[in-house]
Amino acid sequence: MTDTTTEDVVVYEVVDRIAWVKFNRPDKRNAQSPTLNRRMAEVLDELEFRDDVGVLVLTGEGSAWSAGMDLKEYFRESATKGLEGTRRAQRAAYRWWEQLRWYRKPTIAMVNGWCFGGAYGPLYACDIAVAADEAKFGLSEINWGILPGGGATKVATNLMSARKAMYHAMMGENLDGQQAAAQGLVTESVPLAQLKDRVTEIANVLLKKNPVALKATKDAVRRVIEMTYDNAEDYLIRAQEAADSFDPDGRKEGMKQFLDDKTYKPGLGAYDTSKQKS
Ligand code: COA
């Protein structure tokens, strides 16, 4: 099933339960303007609870994933409206990045090209990030005279070693997809010609998993990073019990198909969720 919506700066289509969402300002290297940020929040809202969407992929039209914040519209023009202009522009961006970090559906960043500065917010927000070897990643802020704000410094320190993050932030040099994968910025990198196939393959694996367990898992990974071991242990007990209350039959069905029906092995793949009662 396919349905397509086009509204300028962000476009999306839903194909076989995968929502392909695109930054769509290729002539501006998909820089994030306030208009783009507001529209992206609307698109994420539109897709989040749709039953025909199981996975969301975020990618870019043209040669860029996103060249970060729009220096003209996000920085310069917002600043002419004083503190209010700056804060409004920040909120429009941070709002959808936060929504994406805690999105109900699993999310994949398909990084097809340039990925700079403010693009690290949505990059980090996606659960899995697959880059093209040909993509280029950089904290270019230092090259035009500011620090990597909007969470970008935090993204680098969360994902990279302290030594690599410091070098990355101070030097303003770029990493290609393979280097970004080696340094932890993305999950993996493949040649651009294989990028969409690889992302589709990952999405199709995710589509077969229990969606309640997936949401609980992705939230748990993000939450426990900031917890002590004891707090994490406690949180995980409570998170699983909360997931059980939304999905009382999931784990029972998973155990039944393994222990009684012997139709699959959890070590080798997911149980058949279509046979689940609720
Ligand atoms: N903000 C505003 N405009 C941007 C932009 C950004 N972040 N990135 C690209 N553009 C615009 C350019 O100004 C240019 O506009 P124009 O055609 O009206 O002159 C257009 O997009 C194409 O950019 P160009 O630089 O010619 O493309 P390129 O393919 O040669 O280079 C980049 C691509 C990404 C290396 C380069 O555009 C760049 O360095 N962008 C800024 C990246 C950055 O520092 N982002 C961090 C912001 S936090």
Side-chain angles (χ1 to χ4, degrees):
M1 193 187 108
T2 303
D3 86 41
T4 308
T5 298
T6 306
E7 195 156 314
D8 290 327
V9 289
V10 177
V11 292
Y12 72 80
E13 62 175 346
V14 177
V15 183
D16 297 333
R17 304 200 64 229
I18 304 172
W20 299 89
V21 179
K22 265 189 188 177
F23 295 109
N24 190 39
R25 300 181 72 212
D27 53 329
K28 298 290 179 188
R29 303 302 178 261
N30 298 325
Q32 293 173 54
S33 61
T35 306
L36 181 146
N37 289 328
R38 282 192 291 271
R39 180 62 193 144
M40 188 64 87
E42 287 172 5
V43 166
L44 294 180
D45 278 346
E46 283 164 26
L47 293 168
E48 186 160 20
F49 292 95
R50 273 175 54 161
D51 290 338
D52 63 335
V53 174
V55 174
L56 183 139
V57 176
L58 181 58
T59 191
E61 181 63 38
S63 62
W65 192 66
S66 168
M69 308 321 288
D70 188 309
L71 270 69
K72 181 166 171 279
E73 295 184 38
Y74 178 86
F75 285 109
R76 186 192 274 168
E77 291 177 1
S78 299
T80 63
K81 296 176 199 145
L83 184 63
E84 180 183 343
T86 298
R87 290 286 181 270
R88 281 188 189 281
Q90 288 166 336
R91 289 217 175 108
Y94 300 170
R95 185 200 146 192
W96 76 263
W97 301 349
E98 183 192 12
Q99 183 176 7
L100 198 57
R101 283 199 300 280
W102 303 105
Y103 210 59
R104 292 220 68 79
K105 312 287 163 90
T107 54
I108 306 173
M110 182 168 98
V111 186
N112 52 297
W114 303 111
C115 179
F116 286 108
Y120 281 33
L123 178 73
Y124 178 68
C126 288
D127 305 321
I128 292 172
V130 185
D133 294 346
E134 294 88 337
K136 290 276 185 274
F137 296 79
L139 289 180
S140 53
E141 287 89 340
I142 195 66
N143 292 339
W144 62 278
I146 68 165
L147 61 75
T153 298
K154 182 66 175 158
V155 172
T157 54
N158 271 16
L159 297 180
M160 306 165 93
S161 74
R163 281 283 177 221
K164 295 291 189 196
M166 186 70 89
Y167 186 93
H168 195 54
M170 290 182 71
M171 295 293 284
E173 293 174 357
N174 296 336
L175 303 172
D176 64 24
Q178 290 286 337
Q179 291 167 320
Q183 296 193 20
L185 264 183
V186 297
T187 317
E188 64 180 69
S189 181
V190 298
L192 182 59
Q194 294 164 25
L195 184 63
K196 189 164 185 192
D197 284 352
R198 177 61 186 139
V199 167
T200 305
E201 188 177 60
I202 293 172
N204 282 330
V205 172
L206 293 169
L207 285 172
K208 293 202 171 74
K209 310 286 187 202
N210 177 318
V212 175
L214 269 182
K215 169 66 172 146
T217 299
K218 57 183 266 181
D219 287 3
V221 171
R222 285 189 193 275
R223 294 280 184 214
V224 302
I225 285 169
E226 296 182 357
M227 292 182 191
T228 62
Y229 192 95
D230 284 340
N231 285 345
E233 198 174 64
D234 188 52
Y235 165 85
L236 292 168
I237 289 169
R238 289 162 205 284
Q240 182 56 55
E241 287 170 359
D244 285 344
S245 72
F246 283 112
D247 178 37
D249 296 321
R251 72 154 93 188
K252 288 183 203 148
E253 184 64 30
M255 284 190 278
K256 175 179 169 292
Q257 289 182 24
F258 176 54
L259 297 174
D260 306 330
D261 306 343
K262 299 195 184 299
T263 49
Y264 86 113
K265 295 176 193 288
L268 302 179
Y271 72 96
D272 182 352
T273 51
S274 69
K275 295 199 169 131
Q276 201 172 310
K277 275 183 264 158
S278 56

